Amino acid sequence: MEDLFSVENLKSAAKEIGKSEDYFEFVNDEENFVNLHNQLISGSYIPEPLIKIDLRQKDKTRPIKLSSAKDKIVQRIISKFLTELYDKTFSNKSYAYRPNKSALKAVNRVSDFINRGYTHVLKTDIKDFFENIDHEILVKILKEKIKNEILIKYIIFFLKIGSFDTKNNFIEHSAGVDQGSVVSPILSNIYIDLMDKFLERHNVDFVRFADDFVVFAKSKKKAEFVLRNLKRFLKPLKLTLNEEKTYITHINNGFTFLGVYFRGKYRTLDNERFERIKQKLLSYAKEKNSFENIDRYFTLISNYYLQIVKNNTAAKEEIKNLLIDSLVKAVIRQKENLKKIGNKRNFNRYEIFGCFRIKKQGCGYYFKKGIQSAKKRQIRTERPKKQIRKKSCPFGAYTYFRIRNEPGRFQKQIRTQKIRKSDKIFSC
């Protein structure tokens, strides 16, 4: 215990958690770490009540409970300890909240099972999984491997600690793990691993990501048999399958998993997920920090969805066009705010700034295309104006646009005017 909750480990864990309002107040005082260490070793540590907020998602709200910075640090240490203890025993068909596992790897594993000749899938998820995890069963599972009573006590604290809602009403917590808690993902994996082991004992192939999973079978009869037995197995764990999202289908009829639509050996983005990407990109273009938000969101798209769809497909081309369109809107909106991007030098300065930041994420091509489209749209709407005819743009905006597209025709003019290298349109 003393090594696990050492001051050095506490400081290291502090660097790995999110920066909440009370974070800097805690970490900037060395005594806070020493006092927390002493409390944890002596067994006198008690976590603070959580703050409950409702996170809006489409047409519904998702409850999230936030811990204090001090409690997040302790949860981070416990989470790392549990991961080291349990992760190597988990099924290799489980892909959520684990080191070196991801949603992309889960999708690729689904493709692998389809290529092995499975013809039917059982697609399902567990109804309100995180809210229905039984505390007594989970603690019993933990005690099989963890013999330190103080550590078990702290885990129970984090399971049962109540929360205050937005109206300062206290809410007790008798079942489930709190979404938003640092330690919840590993605890949920420890609990549902019982189901994974059950399926593996019966030689059933599956892919699971958190509470969402698909089971593979060589016939519809075998899939129905697995479904019946799975329902019976989950009852003692006080879990049930979501009947609305549970179905058995032939792979040629298609099914959706983790936002990806599979049909035979073909896979692409699910229509609903594609619409969500579209709305996100277009909404980010209207925000104040539009480029930062588009950059961050496109990085997520690049690391997952663009890895799924193949090159030279309609889906990939449509995502590219969506990105360019959102960047066009962002540039024009920014121009309207700054009111001084009408000349060539300001356009180039803005282009260089954007390309420098976004190229780091591998999005330079798309960003450049978006900026170029915005320039064309901007110049077409603002034909040569007196205020644009400055030294930085000797030919005026319209001529500048023509030079971009017909450089050979205006080569003589460019030589005559002796445009500086830094002023050239290819500076990005």
Side-chain angles (χ1 to χ4, degrees):
M1 282 288 289
E2 193 154 344
D3 291 337
L4 180 63
F5 294 116
S6 65
V7 174
E8 290 74 17
N9 282 350
L10 292 172
K11 288 181 179 179
S12 176
K15 296 176 183 178
E16 300 171 3
I17 65 169
K19 311 294 188 289
S20 54
E21 292 182 9
D22 59 338
Y23 173 82
F24 294 102
E25 183 182 344
F26 183 87
V27 299
N28 289 337
D29 190 346
E30 181 79 19
E31 283 191 22
N32 288 333
F33 288 104
V34 176
N35 292 337
L36 180 57
H37 166 76
N38 293 334
Q39 290 175 14
L40 289 163
I41 297 305
S42 64
S44 59
Y45 166 79
I46 299 176
E48 299 172 10
L50 308 173
I51 303 297
K52 182 185 177 184
I53 62 170
D54 290 326
L55 187 67
R56 289 188 178 181
Q57 290 184 331
K58 295 194 293 183
D59 55 345
K60 62 180 182 180
T61 58
R62 177 185 169 199
I64 298 290
K65 296 179 182 178
L66 305 177
S67 305
S68 65
K70 177 189 72 173
D71 296 334
K72 283 182 181 177
I73 291 169
V74 178
Q75 287 182 30
R76 181 61 184 157
I77 290 178
I78 293 175
S79 175
K80 289 175 73 174
F81 170 78
L82 293 175
T83 299
E84 290 175 7
L85 185 63
Y86 282 94
D87 189 75
K88 56 182 175 287
T89 68
F90 289 158
S91 168
N92 63 7
K93 302 177 184 71
S94 162
Y95 286 87
Y97 320 126
R98 297 182 61 190
N100 303 316
K101 298 281 188 178
S102 66
L104 178 60
K105 289 184 177 180
V107 168
N108 289 337
R109 190 72 181 274
V110 170
S111 295
D112 177 56
F113 281 129
I114 291 172
N115 291 332
R116 291 187 191 183
Y118 285 104
T119 57
H120 288 77
V121 294
L122 162 62
K123 173 66 183 71
T124 186
D125 68 21
I126 298 172
K127 186 176 181 180
D128 299 329
F129 168 60
F130 296 97
E131 293 81 4
N132 288 321
I133 290 176
D134 187 88
H135 291 172
E136 289 184 12
I137 296 173
L138 178 57
V139 171
K140 187 178 178 182
I141 296 168
L142 292 169
K143 284 184 176 180
E144 291 177 3
K145 283 197 171 187
I146 302 172
K147 305 304 178 184
N148 190 300
E149 292 296 328
I150 295 178
L151 185 56
I152 290 291
K153 183 178 77 169
Y154 293 155
I155 295 172
I156 294 172
F157 277 158
F158 289 125
L159 285 173
K160 295 189 175 295
I161 193 73
S163 60
F164 286 102
D165 62 13
T166 52
K167 297 179 181 178
N168 283 331
N169 297 319
F170 185 76
I171 305 168
E172 293 185 354
H173 193 238
S174 57
V177 294
D178 297 312
Q179 294 191 57
S181 167
V182 178
V183 78
S184 292
I186 182 62
L187 291 177
S188 65
N189 265 343
I190 291 170
Y191 196 81
I192 199 62
D193 184 60
L194 295 175
M195 183 192 77
D196 296 347
K197 295 292 192 293
F198 167 77
L199 292 172
E200 287 182 332
R201 282 197 303 272
H202 291 81
N203 298 316
V204 175
D205 283 327
F206 65 96
V207 176
R208 182 179 64 80
F209 193 90
D211 56 343
D212 193 10
F213 61 102
V214 284
V215 175
F216 299 90
K218 293 285 179 76
S219 66
K220 184 178 180 180
K221 189 176 180 181
K222 178 65 184 292
E224 290 171 345
F225 175 78
V226 172
L227 177 59
R228 287 194 301 271
N229 282 280
L230 192 56
K231 287 180 178 179
R232 279 199 292 266
F233 177 80
L234 290 174
K235 274 187 180 179
L237 295 178
K238 301 184 180 179
L239 298 174
T240 57
L241 297 179
N242 189 334
E243 295 295 338
E244 294 178 2
K245 297 181 179 180
T246 299
Y247 59 90
I248 295 171
T249 184
H250 194 283
I251 61 167
N252 290 335
N253 295 329
F255 65 96
T256 300
F257 180 61
L258 299 181
V260 180
Y261 177 72
F262 295 86
R263 188 167 186 171
K265 295 183 180 181
Y266 170 79
R267 68 185 191 188
T268 188
L269 296 187
D270 177 54
N271 288 335
E272 184 181 340
R273 191 61 58 98
F274 184 82
E275 282 300 316
R276 204 180 304 173
I277 291 172
K278 179 179 177 180
Q279 294 303 322
K280 280 259 189 185
L281 283 172
L282 296 180
S283 66
Y284 283 148
K286 300 175 185 177
E287 295 178 0
K288 186 176 180 181
N289 299 322
S290 51
F291 287 111
E292 289 83 350
N293 292 335
I294 292 172
D295 180 18
R296 185 168 56 250
Y297 189 60
F298 186 67
T299 302
L300 294 174
I301 295 173
S302 300
N303 292 338
Y304 183 52
Y305 295 113
L306 291 185
Q307 303 294 324
I308 291 165
V309 295
K310 294 182 179 179
N311 292 326
N312 304 319
T313 58
K316 202 154 200 171
E317 190 67 23
E318 202 162 349
I319 290 176
K320 183 188 80 172
N321 292 334
L322 273 175
L323 180 68
I324 291 173
D325 194 41
S326 62
L327 286 167
V328 168
K329 286 179 169 58
V331 170
I332 290 176
R333 182 185 179 280
Q334 199 76 11
K335 188 268 172 189
E336 290 170 355
N337 290 341
L338 297 177
K339 296 182 180 177
K340 295 224 172 167
I341 280 187
N343 61 62
K344 183 184 121 178
R345 175 170 289 177
N346 286 337
F347 259 139
N348 278 347
R349 186 182 300 130
Y350 200 70
E351 182 178 354
I352 291 167
F353 173 69
C355 283
F356 174 75
R357 180 170 62 244
I358 296 206
K359 268 186 177 179
K360 290 180 179 178
Q361 305 297 334
C363 315
Y365 167 79
Y366 297 110
F367 189 89
K368 196 168 181 180
K369 285 286 184 185
I371 297 292
Q372 287 171 356
S373 299
K375 283 183 179 182
K376 291 177 185 178
R377 188 182 298 186
Q378 179 63 34
I379 291 165
R380 283 171 186 155
T381 56
E382 292 190 15
R383 303 282 279 219
K385 288 184 182 179
K386 199 170 183 180
Q387 65 184 38
I388 297 179
R389 299 178 187 275
K390 296 181 181 180
K391 289 181 181 179
S392 59
C393 189
F395 304 125
Y398 183 64
T399 311
Y400 165 59
F401 169 66
R402 294 185 69 188
I403 291 171
R404 287 181 60 90
N405 292 273
E406 303 174 60
R409 186 173 173 183
F410 292 89
Q411 195 171 13
K412 188 174 180 181
Q413 282 182 290
I414 293 173
R415 262 200 318 272
T416 306
Q417 293 289 339
K418 293 182 180 178
I419 296 177
R420 295 192 308 273
K421 211 171 188 179
S422 60
D423 281 339
K424 285 187 180 178
I425 54 178
F426 303 105
S427 55
C428 193

